[in-house]
Amino acid sequence: MLPLLFLSLSLGSIIAFDRSPDDQLLLVQVVIRHADRASMHGFATNISEEIFFRGNGELSDDGIENAFKQGLDYRERYVKTGFIDERMITNQISIRSSSVPRVLMSAASFTSALFNKTDGGMGRIPPIFTKDSEEDPLLVPPLDCLNGWEDVVKKYNLPFSKNAGKKSAKSASTMRKSRKHAQALVVLMKTEMPEECKVVPPELLEAIVAELPNPHINLPPEWIPCAENGAKKLLFKYMELLAGAGEEFNLQRLQRTAGLLTATLLDNMAAMLNCTSSECDEPKLRVYYTHDINVLASAFIFDAIHLYQNKTPAFSSSLVFELRNGKFGPYVNILLKNGVSAPFVESDRCQKNCTLDAVVELTKSYSIREPAWCQLSEDEVEPSTKRSPVLQSFLSLLSTLSLLYFYHL
Ligand SMILES: *[C@@H]1O[C@H](CO)[C@@H](O)[C@H](O)[C@H]1NC(C)=O
Ligand SMILES: *[C@@H]1O[C@H](CO)[C@@H](O)[C@H](O)[C@H]1NC(C)=O
Ligand SMILES: *[C@@H]1O[C@H](CO)[C@@H](O)[C@H](O)[C@H]1NC(C)=O
Ligand SMILES: *[C@@H]1O[C@H](CO)[C@@H](O)[C@H](O)[C@H]1NC(C)=O
């Protein structure tokens, strides 16, 4: 904390943006990924299926515990300090979660750690609001849209499946087109497979990353360098590609992934500032429980993606947006807490300019207030915002991976 403060003070004379730890905290918003789960497909060891007894894609018991521990660190920072009431005052908080079970379960575990227990020793679990996955572009971004993949098709030279108009072939063609990201992943694996991952069966790359943090699992030692490094980098690249972020920048995909969330975060800040000091019904803590892809996309939009160091977000990875009032008026301090064992790390935004105005300006081209257009079928003319519950399926695309990997390209 202190060295950072000194840094910002010493730079202060150049960029004239000073902060003080005493600056009033007005609003805390957290965008957080669910906790530890089994891989979406396959198991890395012969005991994995027993450890991850809820099945592929589901939260593990370690996930339940880690979401809780992550909650304890937030309790330290925002509840014990008196910012939020320890007894849980309902209108001080707002918890939104994706309705995918692993996310809802993580949200319950995380939030129950925030507050004091009741006198009878029960956890105070706040109300958690959710929406059907198919109707929730805020927290369950649509990834199987057909539009917005032109750059990827071109860059990775993906087979372009324009069918000759045979009606019977249409659904197969839609299928192929909707899986551009799967094809891109296959190309990534063929062309950019890290050296240390060549000893791992490609269809297990995601499984070893998912199982690595689990204390009950012992991966074969020769897989560990890949699980710790290479596979995380490959998945990061894939994540960027899905989100249209970073090196795979694409405005359409980026807005679809995190445009609504960006606007929501900014609107919440505006609403809080609009509060008069006497009356304020705005929650002071807002939590958005969601998936790795929109955490990563939000990190990119708010100029913090470099904090990930090119590795895919950890379980319980969280971005924090603190709205504070300082000498120069309202500003946004952005932090990353990348998983349960990681500390809160400030982004360097405030060494540049993190006034609310500057942050609004930084993000305004990505921020949208209506769901982005998602074209779901080839003959669709009207914009659609509905879609299949894709997050479930997108990583399970990995299930077709070994097949694709060996036969498709
Ligand atoms: C699991 O694999 C390990 C190492 O390959 C082996 O020693 C062990 O006997 C196996 N356990 C079971 C239950 O198959
Ligand atoms: C919450 O619990 C702590 C001990 O863990 C206690 O010191 C504190 O007074 C409690 N707060 C309230 C509001 O009951
Ligand atoms: C600010 O407050 C005014 C008056 O209560 C209200 O009309 C307006 O919609 C508010 N603006 C925001 C951004 O919440
Ligand atoms: C920060 O950026 C805002 C918006 O662009 C600008 O109005 C303000 O002057 C800048 N502040 C500093 C200290 O550079």
Side-chain angles (χ1 to χ4, degrees), residues 68-127:
F68 189 86
K69 286 183 194 154
Q70 185 73 318
L72 288 180
D73 286 350
Y74 276 83
R75 169 183 169 84
E76 245 357 272
R77 192 176 168 95
Y78 299 114
V79 184
K80 288 216 171 144
T81 50
F83 178 64
I84 297 290
D85 196 296
E86 291 171 308
R87 298 165 301 172
M88 193 187 56
I89 307 300
T90 319
N91 67 9
Q92 286 191 342
I93 56 179
S94 160
I95 319 291
R96 269 280 268 122
S97 172
S98 145
S99 68
V100 176
R102 61 178 174 274
V103 189
L104 271 173
M105 288 166 71
S106 302
S109 205
F110 173 90
T111 53
S112 70
L114 295 175
F115 305 101
N116 277 17
K117 295 201 173 356
T118 62
D119 289 344
M122 301 302 291
R124 286 168 162 141
I125 304 177

Side-chain angles (χ1 to χ4, degrees), residues 161-349:
S161 53
K162 198 77 205 154
N163 78 64
K166 271 189 281 172
K167 278 237 154 67
S168 55
K170 184 180 268 169
S171 66
S173 153
T174 301
M175 191 65 132
R176 250 173 283 136
K177 284 195 79 179
S178 70
R179 297 197 157 185
K180 282 294 164 249
H181 44 89
Q183 293 173 358
L185 178 57
V186 173
V187 176
L188 281 182
M189 289 178 125
K190 295 206 116 183
T191 57
E192 306 200 24
M193 183 67 88
E195 202 52 44
E196 70 248 38
C197 290
K198 292 188 173 158
V199 292
V200 182
E203 72 275 16
L204 286 185
L205 278 192
E206 193 248 333
I208 64 172
V209 172
E211 297 188 20
L212 178 72
N214 193 295
H216 309 289
I217 302 280
N218 288 308
L219 295 178
E222 68 272 20
W223 291 2
I224 296 211
C226 171
E228 284 177 342
N229 190 54
K232 285 186 180 169
K233 291 194 164 151
L234 198 74
L235 287 179
F236 176 86
K237 216 169 165 29
Y238 179 51
M239 244 0 102
E240 279 192 330
L241 196 142
L242 286 169
E247 284 181 21
E248 303 290 339
F249 178 77
N250 175 291
L251 185 62
Q252 230 174 348
R253 295 203 303 282
L254 186 63
Q255 286 186 330
R256 226 156 37 201
T257 311
L260 287 171
L261 191 52
T262 300
T264 301
L265 295 169
L266 296 173
D267 290 349
N268 293 340
M269 295 189 217
M272 181 55 100
L273 287 172
N274 200 25
C275 268
T276 58
S277 45
S278 51
E279 279 295 314
C280 187
D281 283 336
E282 286 297 315
K284 293 159 76 177
L285 173 67
R286 290 180 178 268
V287 178
Y288 295 93
Y289 241 105
T290 180
H291 302 265
D292 47 7
I293 178 167
N294 33 6
V295 177
L296 192 83
S298 307
F300 172 72
I301 290 173
F302 287 90
D303 187 26
I305 197 171
H306 54 284
L307 295 178
Y308 280 108
Q309 300 180 311
N310 295 313
K311 290 185 178 179
T312 198
F315 293 124
S316 299
S317 183
S318 59
L319 275 176
V320 191
F321 303 85
E322 295 181 347
L323 177 68
R324 290 177 181 268
N325 218 342
K327 201 154 105 188
F328 286 87
Y331 67 90
V332 190
N333 192 23
I334 300 167
L335 305 99
L336 175 70
K337 188 179 191 307
N338 189 21
V340 60
S341 47
F344 288 93
V345 177
E346 287 193 0
S347 82
D348 51 5
R349 203 9 52 200

